[in-house]
mmCIF file of all heavy atoms in Angstrom:
data_model
loop_
_atom_site.group_PDB
_atom_site.id
_atom_site.type_symbol
_atom_site.label_atom_id
_atom_site.label_comp_id
_atom_site.label_asym_id
_atom_site.label_seq_id
_atom_site.Cartn_x
_atom_site.Cartn_y
_atom_site.Cartn_z
ATOM 1 N N LEU E 529 79.488 105.337 90.270
ATOM 2 C CA LEU E 529 80.597 104.444 89.930
ATOM 3 C C LEU E 529 81.543 104.309 91.140
ATOM 4 O O LEU E 529 82.004 103.222 91.476
ATOM 5 C CB LEU E 529 81.367 104.995 88.726
ATOM 6 C CG LEU E 529 82.355 104.044 88.069
ATOM 7 C CD1 LEU E 529 81.621 102.895 87.407
ATOM 8 C CD2 LEU E 529 83.201 104.774 87.030
ATOM 9 N N SER E 530 81.815 105.464 91.771
ATOM 10 C CA SER E 530 82.729 105.420 92.917
ATOM 11 C C SER E 530 82.118 104.685 94.107
ATOM 12 O O SER E 530 82.836 104.173 94.954
ATOM 13 C CB SER E 530 83.108 106.830 93.332
ATOM 14 O OG SER E 530 81.993 107.497 93.907
ATOM 15 N N LYS E 531 80.784 104.651 94.166
ATOM 16 C CA LYS E 531 80.130 103.989 95.304
ATOM 17 C C LYS E 531 79.937 102.496 95.094
ATOM 18 O O LYS E 531 79.531 101.777 96.013
ATOM 19 C CB LYS E 531 78.745 104.619 95.558
ATOM 20 C CG LYS E 531 78.800 106.086 95.915
ATOM 21 C CD LYS E 531 79.363 106.281 97.295
ATOM 22 C CE LYS E 531 79.397 107.754 97.675
ATOM 23 N NZ LYS E 531 80.182 107.990 98.891
ATOM 24 N N LEU E 532 80.171 102.038 93.877
ATOM 25 C CA LEU E 532 80.005 100.609 93.627
ATOM 26 C C LEU E 532 80.940 99.797 94.505
ATOM 27 O O LEU E 532 82.070 100.199 94.744
ATOM 28 C CB LEU E 532 80.327 100.300 92.154
ATOM 29 C CG LEU E 532 79.178 100.333 91.176
ATOM 30 C CD1 LEU E 532 79.728 100.212 89.770
ATOM 31 C CD2 LEU E 532 78.212 99.196 91.420
ATOM 32 N N PRO E 533 80.467 98.662 94.989
ATOM 33 C CA PRO E 533 81.327 97.864 95.865
ATOM 34 C C PRO E 533 82.415 97.140 95.077
ATOM 35 O O PRO E 533 82.123 96.296 94.252
ATOM 36 C CB PRO E 533 80.358 96.865 96.505
ATOM 37 C CG PRO E 533 79.195 96.791 95.571
ATOM 38 C CD PRO E 533 79.118 98.076 94.837
ATOM 39 N N GLY E 534 83.647 97.496 95.329
ATOM 40 C CA GLY E 534 84.772 96.769 94.734
ATOM 41 C C GLY E 534 85.280 97.406 93.449
ATOM 42 O O GLY E 534 84.533 97.884 92.608
ATOM 43 N N LEU E 535 86.605 97.348 93.342
ATOM 44 C CA LEU E 535 87.288 97.923 92.192
ATOM 45 C C LEU E 535 86.893 97.215 90.913
ATOM 46 O O LEU E 535 86.703 97.833 89.856
ATOM 47 C CB LEU E 535 88.788 97.776 92.427
ATOM 48 C CG LEU E 535 89.718 98.667 91.642
ATOM 49 C CD1 LEU E 535 89.423 100.120 91.918
ATOM 50 C CD2 LEU E 535 91.153 98.356 92.018
ATOM 51 N N GLU E 536 86.747 95.912 91.008
ATOM 52 C CA GLU E 536 86.423 95.113 89.825
ATOM 53 C C GLU E 536 85.079 95.541 89.243
ATOM 54 O O GLU E 536 84.933 95.710 88.039
ATOM 55 C CB GLU E 536 86.390 93.638 90.214
ATOM 56 C CG GLU E 536 85.995 92.735 89.079
ATOM 57 C CD GLU E 536 85.389 91.441 89.589
ATOM 58 O OE1 GLU E 536 85.618 91.099 90.746
ATOM 59 O OE2 GLU E 536 84.676 90.798 88.807
ATOM 60 N N LYS E 537 84.100 95.738 90.117
ATOM 61 C CA LYS E 537 82.764 96.108 89.637
ATOM 62 C C LYS E 537 82.807 97.486 88.983
ATOM 63 O O LYS E 537 82.132 97.737 87.990
ATOM 64 C CB LYS E 537 81.767 96.102 90.801
ATOM 65 C CG LYS E 537 81.610 94.754 91.445
ATOM 66 C CD LYS E 537 81.031 93.727 90.482
ATOM 67 C CE LYS E 537 80.975 92.350 91.112
ATOM 68 N NZ LYS E 537 80.535 91.321 90.190
ATOM 69 N N ARG E 538 83.582 98.364 89.581
ATOM 70 C CA ARG E 538 83.702 99.702 88.979
ATOM 71 C C ARG E 538 84.262 99.595 87.571
ATOM 72 O O ARG E 538 83.794 100.254 86.643
ATOM 73 C CB ARG E 538 84.600 100.576 89.846
ATOM 74 C CG ARG E 538 83.922 101.041 91.094
ATOM 75 C CD ARG E 538 84.875 101.791 92.007
ATOM 76 N NE ARG E 538 84.512 101.521 93.380
ATOM 77 C CZ ARG E 538 85.343 101.537 94.407
ATOM 78 N NH1 ARG E 538 86.599 101.835 94.221
ATOM 79 N NH2 ARG E 538 84.916 101.274 95.614
ATOM 80 N N ALA E 539 85.290 98.773 87.437
ATOM 81 C CA ALA E 539 85.902 98.613 86.114
ATOM 82 C C ALA E 539 84.891 98.021 85.140
ATOM 83 O O ALA E 539 84.772 98.492 83.997
ATOM 84 C CB ALA E 539 87.127 97.720 86.230
ATOM 85 N N ARG E 540 84.136 97.041 85.584
ATOM 86 C CA ARG E 540 83.188 96.394 84.674
ATOM 87 C C ARG E 540 82.071 97.350 84.257
ATOM 88 O O ARG E 540 81.687 97.410 83.090
ATOM 89 C CB ARG E 540 82.589 95.155 85.341
ATOM 90 C CG ARG E 540 83.560 94.003 85.464
ATOM 91 C CD ARG E 540 82.881 92.778 86.027
ATOM 92 N NE ARG E 540 83.814 91.732 86.341
ATOM 93 C CZ ARG E 540 84.273 90.841 85.468
ATOM 94 N NH1 ARG E 540 83.871 90.890 84.217
ATOM 95 N NH2 ARG E 540 85.123 89.910 85.838
ATOM 96 N N VAL E 541 81.529 98.101 85.232
ATOM 97 C CA VAL E 541 80.455 99.036 84.890
ATOM 98 C C VAL E 541 80.995 100.144 83.989
ATOM 99 O O VAL E 541 80.322 100.581 83.037
ATOM 100 C CB VAL E 541 79.823 99.614 86.178
ATOM 101 C CG1 VAL E 541 78.914 100.785 85.860
ATOM 102 C CG2 VAL E 541 79.039 98.517 86.885
ATOM 103 N N ALA E 542 82.204 100.608 84.283
ATOM 104 C CA ALA E 542 82.788 101.651 83.437
ATOM 105 C C ALA E 542 82.919 101.147 82.005
ATOM 106 O O ALA E 542 82.657 101.885 81.033
ATOM 107 C CB ALA E 542 84.157 102.061 83.995
ATOM 108 N N ILE E 543 83.304 99.890 81.864
ATOM 109 C CA ILE E 543 83.428 99.318 80.512
ATOM 110 C C ILE E 543 82.045 99.194 79.870
ATOM 111 O O ILE E 543 81.872 99.474 78.674
ATOM 112 C CB ILE E 543 84.149 97.957 80.580
ATOM 113 C CG1 ILE E 543 85.607 98.175 80.960
ATOM 114 C CG2 ILE E 543 84.056 97.227 79.235
ATOM 115 C CD1 ILE E 543 86.346 96.909 81.330
ATOM 116 N N ASP E 544 81.072 98.767 80.661
ATOM 117 C CA ASP E 544 79.682 98.700 80.138
ATOM 118 C C ASP E 544 79.236 100.051 79.604
ATOM 119 O O ASP E 544 78.672 100.166 78.510
ATOM 120 C CB ASP E 544 78.720 98.271 81.262
ATOM 121 C CG ASP E 544 78.741 96.765 81.499
ATOM 122 O OD1 ASP E 544 79.349 96.056 80.676
ATOM 123 O OD2 ASP E 544 78.172 96.316 82.495
ATOM 124 N N TRP E 545 79.490 101.069 80.396
ATOM 125 C CA TRP E 545 79.078 102.425 79.983
ATOM 126 C C TRP E 545 79.819 102.865 78.736
ATOM 127 O O TRP E 545 79.280 103.508 77.855
ATOM 128 C CB TRP E 545 79.333 103.404 81.129
ATOM 129 C CG TRP E 545 78.265 103.349 82.191
ATOM 130 C CD1 TRP E 545 77.048 102.764 82.091
ATOM 131 C CD2 TRP E 545 78.339 103.886 83.509
ATOM 132 N NE1 TRP E 545 76.353 102.914 83.250
ATOM 133 C CE2 TRP E 545 77.117 103.591 84.140
ATOM 134 C CE3 TRP E 545 79.304 104.590 84.216
ATOM 135 C CZ2 TRP E 545 76.837 103.987 85.447
ATOM 136 C CZ3 TRP E 545 79.040 104.978 85.507
ATOM 137 C CH2 TRP E 545 77.820 104.679 86.118
ATOM 138 N N TRP E 546 81.081 102.529 78.702
ATOM 139 C CA TRP E 546 81.905 102.909 77.555
ATOM 140 C C TRP E 546 81.364 102.240 76.281
ATOM 141 O O TRP E 546 81.208 102.884 75.252
ATOM 142 C CB TRP E 546 83.350 102.492 77.830
ATOM 143 C CG TRP E 546 84.292 102.758 76.696
ATOM 144 C CD1 TRP E 546 84.880 101.842 75.897
ATOM 145 C CD2 TRP E 546 84.742 104.041 76.239
ATOM 146 N NE1 TRP E 546 85.673 102.457 74.959
ATOM 147 C CE2 TRP E 546 85.606 103.810 75.156
ATOM 148 C CE3 TRP E 546 84.498 105.352 76.637
ATOM 149 C CZ2 TRP E 546 86.232 104.857 74.470
ATOM 150 C CZ3 TRP E 546 85.121 106.382 75.936
ATOM 151 C CH2 TRP E 546 85.978 106.129 74.876
ATOM 152 N N LEU E 547 81.062 100.951 76.397
ATOM 153 C CA LEU E 547 80.522 100.233 75.228
ATOM 154 C C LEU E 547 79.154 100.778 74.837
ATOM 155 O O LEU E 547 78.810 100.850 73.658
ATOM 156 C CB LEU E 547 80.420 98.731 75.544
ATOM 157 C CG LEU E 547 81.762 98.005 75.726
ATOM 158 C CD1 LEU E 547 81.516 96.572 76.162
ATOM 159 C CD2 LEU E 547 82.572 98.047 74.438
ATOM 160 N N ASP E 548 78.377 101.176 75.850
ATOM 161 C CA ASP E 548 77.042 101.704 75.604
ATOM 162 C C ASP E 548 77.097 102.995 74.793
ATOM 163 O O ASP E 548 76.144 103.353 74.089
ATOM 164 C CB ASP E 548 76.346 101.952 76.954
ATOM 165 C CG ASP E 548 74.855 102.116 76.777
ATOM 166 O OD1 ASP E 548 74.268 101.347 75.989
ATOM 167 O OD2 ASP E 548 74.276 103.021 77.408
ATOM 168 N N LEU E 549 78.208 103.706 74.907
ATOM 169 C CA LEU E 549 78.362 104.933 74.125
ATOM 170 C C LEU E 549 78.555 104.641 72.647
ATOM 171 O O LEU E 549 78.254 105.461 71.788
ATOM 172 C CB LEU E 549 79.563 105.742 74.629
ATOM 173 C CG LEU E 549 79.431 106.418 75.999
ATOM 174 C CD1 LEU E 549 80.758 107.054 76.388
ATOM 175 C CD2 LEU E 549 78.337 107.469 75.953
ATOM 176 N N TRP E 550 79.069 103.460 72.342
ATOM 177 C CA TRP E 550 79.477 103.158 70.977
ATOM 178 C C TRP E 550 78.545 102.180 70.254
ATOM 179 O O TRP E 550 78.499 102.182 69.023
ATOM 180 C CB TRP E 550 80.891 102.556 70.974
ATOM 181 C CG TRP E 550 81.911 103.533 71.466
ATOM 182 C CD1 TRP E 550 82.402 103.638 72.737
ATOM 183 C CD2 TRP E 550 82.532 104.575 70.714
ATOM 184 N NE1 TRP E 550 83.288 104.672 72.823
ATOM 185 C CE2 TRP E 550 83.406 105.271 71.595
ATOM 186 C CE3 TRP E 550 82.459 104.999 69.390
ATOM 187 C CZ2 TRP E 550 84.168 106.354 71.182
ATOM 188 C CZ3 TRP E 550 83.241 106.065 68.984
ATOM 189 C CH2 TRP E 550 84.072 106.734 69.867
ATOM 190 N N PHE E 551 77.867 101.351 71.001
ATOM 191 C CA PHE E 551 77.067 100.307 70.369
ATOM 192 C C PHE E 551 75.631 100.332 70.901
ATOM 193 O O PHE E 551 75.396 100.755 72.034
ATOM 194 C CB PHE E 551 77.674 98.933 70.638
ATOM 195 C CG PHE E 551 79.098 98.808 70.157
ATOM 196 C CD1 PHE E 551 80.137 98.808 71.051
ATOM 197 C CD2 PHE E 551 79.371 98.714 68.790
ATOM 198 C CE1 PHE E 551 81.445 98.722 70.610
ATOM 199 C CE2 PHE E 551 80.676 98.628 68.358
ATOM 200 C CZ PHE E 551 81.716 98.627 69.253
ATOM 201 N N PRO E 552 74.676 99.848 70.081
ATOM 202 C CA PRO E 552 73.299 99.758 70.580
ATOM 203 C C PRO E 552 73.185 98.694 71.655
ATOM 204 O O PRO E 552 74.037 97.808 71.766
ATOM 205 C CB PRO E 552 72.498 99.369 69.335
ATOM 206 C CG PRO E 552 73.466 98.698 68.441
ATOM 207 C CD PRO E 552 74.785 99.352 68.703
ATOM 208 N N ARG E 553 72.102 98.761 72.407
ATOM 209 C CA ARG E 553 71.941 97.812 73.495
ATOM 210 C C ARG E 553 71.566 96.425 72.961
ATOM 211 O O ARG E 553 71.046 96.282 71.861
ATOM 212 C CB ARG E 553 70.904 98.320 74.480
ATOM 213 C CG ARG E 553 71.433 99.556 75.188
ATOM 214 C CD ARG E 553 70.574 100.017 76.303
ATOM 215 N NE ARG E 553 71.167 101.219 76.891
ATOM 216 C CZ ARG E 553 70.614 101.930 77.851
ATOM 217 N NH1 ARG E 553 69.449 101.568 78.345
ATOM 218 N NH2 ARG E 553 71.209 102.992 78.320
ATOM 219 N N GLU E 554 71.825 95.458 73.767
ATOM 220 C CA GLU E 554 71.639 94.051 73.406
ATOM 221 C C GLU E 554 70.148 93.706 73.384
ATOM 222 O O GLU E 554 69.395 94.133 74.251
ATOM 223 C CB GLU E 554 72.355 93.194 74.444
ATOM 224 C CG GLU E 554 72.453 91.746 74.106
ATOM 225 C CD GLU E 554 73.182 91.517 72.817
ATOM 226 O OE1 GLU E 554 74.417 91.715 72.773
ATOM 227 O OE2 GLU E 554 72.501 91.155 71.837
ATOM 228 N N ILE E 555 69.706 92.953 72.360
ATOM 229 C CA ILE E 555 68.298 92.546 72.325
ATOM 230 C C ILE E 555 68.136 91.034 72.435
ATOM 231 O O ILE E 555 67.075 90.480 72.173
ATOM 232 C CB ILE E 555 67.597 93.046 71.042
ATOM 233 C CG1 ILE E 555 68.295 92.496 69.802
ATOM 234 C CG2 ILE E 555 67.495 94.546 71.014
ATOM 235 C CD1 ILE E 555 67.455 92.691 68.548
ATOM 236 N N VAL E 556 69.207 90.372 72.821
ATOM 237 C CA VAL E 556 69.113 88.922 72.992
ATOM 238 C C VAL E 556 68.164 88.603 74.136
ATOM 239 O O VAL E 556 68.291 89.162 75.226
ATOM 240 C CB VAL E 556 70.514 88.334 73.280
ATOM 241 C CG1 VAL E 556 70.413 86.851 73.613
ATOM 242 C CG2 VAL E 556 71.419 88.546 72.088
ATOM 243 N N LEU E 557 67.225 87.707 73.850
ATOM 244 C CA LEU E 557 66.241 87.329 74.870
ATOM 245 C C LEU E 557 66.625 85.941 75.381
ATOM 246 O O LEU E 557 66.351 84.933 74.730
ATOM 247 C CB LEU E 557 64.854 87.322 74.237
ATOM 248 C CG LEU E 557 63.647 87.310 75.162
ATOM 249 C CD1 LEU E 557 63.701 88.426 76.188
ATOM 250 C CD2 LEU E 557 62.361 87.439 74.332
#
Side-chain angles (χ1 to χ4, degrees):
Chain E
L529 193 67
S530 70
K531 299 289 181 191
L532 269 172
L535 200 59
E536 177 205 340
K537 298 297 176 185
R538 285 174 214 152
R540 288 185 189 275
V541 168
I543 291 169
D544 280 349
W545 281 345
W546 177 251
L547 293 175
D548 196 42
L549 289 174
W550 296 96
F551 302 106
R553 292 188 181 176
E554 190 59 71
I555 59 167
V556 174
L557 196 52

